[in-house]
Structure formats: C-alpha cells, structure tokens
Amino acid sequence: MYLFTGNGDTTPVRLTGNGGFSATPAVIHTSVGDIMVGNGPLPPGYGSNFGNNYTGWYYWLGDSVDGHPLSLGMPNANLNSNSTVIGNVDGDFLAAGNLWKLPGGGYTTRCLSFLPNPTKSQQLQWLRLDSAADWVAASPSCTENAGTS
C-alpha cells in the first residue's frame, strides 16, 4: 500500500509496519492544510479514545478478487497542528478510478475524505489527487474521478 504526499511530489510513499499499521507518510500536504499522524495522546472530547495515542495509518488488504486493498485510513489525525484533530481520514477504493495500481507494484488511492470537526459534525471533506500530484478539494465527493483504474 502506498500514498502520495502531495505538493507535486510524484513519488509514492510505502506504508510500513506490523499488523497493517503505519506511521508513514508522516505528512500529506493538501490544499486545505497538512494532514499529519498525531503526536501523543488525543485531547479531551474524543470519547473512549480520549487519552489514547494516535494510531497512525491502518490498511487492510482483505479478500478482494484481485488482492487490492479494501481499506486505508486513520481514525484520528492532525490538521496543521497537534491541537487540531480531524477524524476518519479514509481512502476511497470503491468508486471507479479511485484505486491506482502502480507500475512498480502496489496500490494507492487518489481520493481521501475526513471529518474536519469530528466531535461536532459528520460532514465529510473530500480531497482528490490531481494530475500534478497535488491533493485538492473535491466536492461533494470524488465521483469526478470516474474512469479506469
């Protein structure tokens, strides 16, 4: 599993770690700010997760027909600073064109969503990877990515 970090960097970064968890890439640069793996425990207001450390990226290959990833996300992350928590950062692999098989092997997503204020709103914000390798706002979803994968 790979992710692009944005800002025009065309080199995908491999997610690493045991059990499907990874702390890399540490930062994804987007048009709405920098999404970062959290540092330290979650602040008050996050229910049963309060005080737990951020877990970083999780990914699941699952039992798909061709072995491609079925899930990628972070339950909680930071946007620009350790005090701004965002929730449910997820890669969308299901819509046509959102799953990319990389030429050197592995897979990535070209669509991410997240909750900018997870304790107050369930309104998702969408990002898509454009042809310049920048993560840009996509509204109301990433359906404009339709195409072949």
Side-chain angles (χ1 to χ4, degrees):
M1 185 69 236
Y2 292 81
L3 275 177
F4 285 86
T5 57
N7 271 5
D9 187 344
T10 58
T11 305
V13 178
R14 184 180 179 122
L15 296 178
T16 61
N18 295 324
F21 281 89
S22 176
T24 57
V27 181
I28 293 179
H29 306 283
T30 79
S31 61
V32 296
D34 291 341
I35 297 174
M36 300 177 277
V37 173
N39 184 15
L42 285 160
Y46 289 85
S48 61
N49 291 326
F50 164 64
N52 290 341
N53 285 335
Y54 291 87
T55 56
W57 292 98
Y58 61 84
Y59 51 97
W60 176 51
L61 298 179
D63 295 323
S64 65
V65 173
D66 63 359
H68 73 264
L70 296 177
S71 180
L72 167 71
M74 283 193 289
N76 295 286
N78 296 143
L79 186 64
N80 296 324
S81 74
N82 288 335
S83 61
T84 306
V85 180
I86 60 176
N88 296 3
V89 182
D90 289 310
D92 175 11
F93 296 102
L94 301 178
N98 287 344
L99 174 70
W100 281 357
K101 186 171 184 176
L102 298 169
Y107 292 89
T108 188
T109 181
R110 65 183 291 184
C111 185
L112 292 172
S113 64
F114 67 93
L115 294 172
N117 194 344
T119 61
K120 297 188 171 123
S121 171
Q122 296 298 303
Q123 183 65 44
L124 285 174
Q125 186 152 354
W126 292 88
L127 301 165
R128 66 180 168 80
L129 191 67
D130 68 10
S131 60
D134 290 321
W135 287 102
V136 297
S139 181
S141 69
C142 277
T143 55
E144 65 266 34
N145 286 340
T148 58
S149 55

